[in-house]
Amino acid sequence: MTQAPYLTGQFLLAMPGMGDPRFERAVIAMCAHDDSGAIGIGLGAVIGGLGFHELLRQFEIDPGDVPDAPVHFGGPVEMRRGFVVHSRDWEGQDTIDVAGRWALSGTIDILRAIASGQGPAHWLVALGYAGWGGGQLEGELATPGWFTSPASTDILWGEAAADRWTSAYAAAGVDPRLLVSGAGHA
């Protein structure tokens, strides 16, 4: 018997021409995946006109000296819900360790910690998430549209959102310009 290939702690990358504009050049950090479904946070695109300082002000949190980082388009589900993908050197009551690679938090305590200089060393903020019900992602993976690759914290923390897609493909040894958007017939 073989174990199911779950994607927790990996990247889910949109294939060129996948057909869904919400996921064009998407880089999704897969945070949970099992028989009951999957959740990932998109980190390949930012929300124009919204920075971290503005988000903090909406919660009446003083940004202090923290950099005004971009806020990412985490996915089309619950766009008013925020998440922080971060290094594992900080933990709050809702923090989830993601396969020993990074952590995920979704409550206001991490925003306060970051603003006060007491948060994780590395962090990315996103609104929304990508979610799949039980078996749904597996069905999508059986058709052209998604590419899975090992996740790299160097890409998460060291690349701009606009560069993550190309960098993640390159790290997997794939040139996305050579990929086709559909299946062929023999």
Side-chain angles (χ1 to χ4, degrees), residues 11 13 147 149-152 155 164-175:
F11 287 149
L13 306 173
F147 179 84
S149 75
S152 162
I155 292 172
R164 286 189 188 112
W165 186 78
T166 304
S167 295
Y169 268 113
V174 175
D175 183 343

Side-chain angles (χ1 to χ4, degrees), residues 45-146:
V46 297
I47 299 172
L50 180 63
F52 186 55
H53 286 186
E54 174 60 29
L55 188 68
L56 290 174
R57 285 186 198 101
Q58 290 177 16
F59 288 100
E60 299 180 355
I61 299 171
D62 179 0
D65 295 329
V66 69
D68 190 18
V71 175
H72 295 77
F73 172 73
V77 182
E78 293 190 51
M79 284 293 300
R80 296 180 57 81
R81 187 170 175 191
F83 296 92
V84 180
V85 175
H86 58 90
S87 51
R88 296 173 55 232
D89 56 348
W90 185 89
E91 186 175 335
Q93 76 180 66
D94 79 320
T95 301
I96 298 167
D97 180 87
V98 180
R101 292 187 175 101
W102 64 79
L104 177 69
S105 297
T107 57
I108 200 165
D109 61 331
I110 190 165
L111 299 179
R112 288 187 181 112
I114 292 169
S116 70
Q118 303 299 309
H122 303 285
W123 49 270
L124 300 166
V125 176
L127 293 179
Y129 66 93
W132 296 265
Q136 185 181 3
L137 180 57
E138 291 79 1
E140 288 186 25
L141 291 171
T143 62
W146 294 110

Side-chain angles (χ1 to χ4, degrees), residues 5 8 39 94 186:
T8 303
I39 183 172
D94 79 320

Side-chain angles (χ1 to χ4, degrees), residues 174-185:
V174 175
D175 183 343
R177 297 173 301 176
L178 302 177
L179 298 174
V180 295
S181 60
H185 300 281

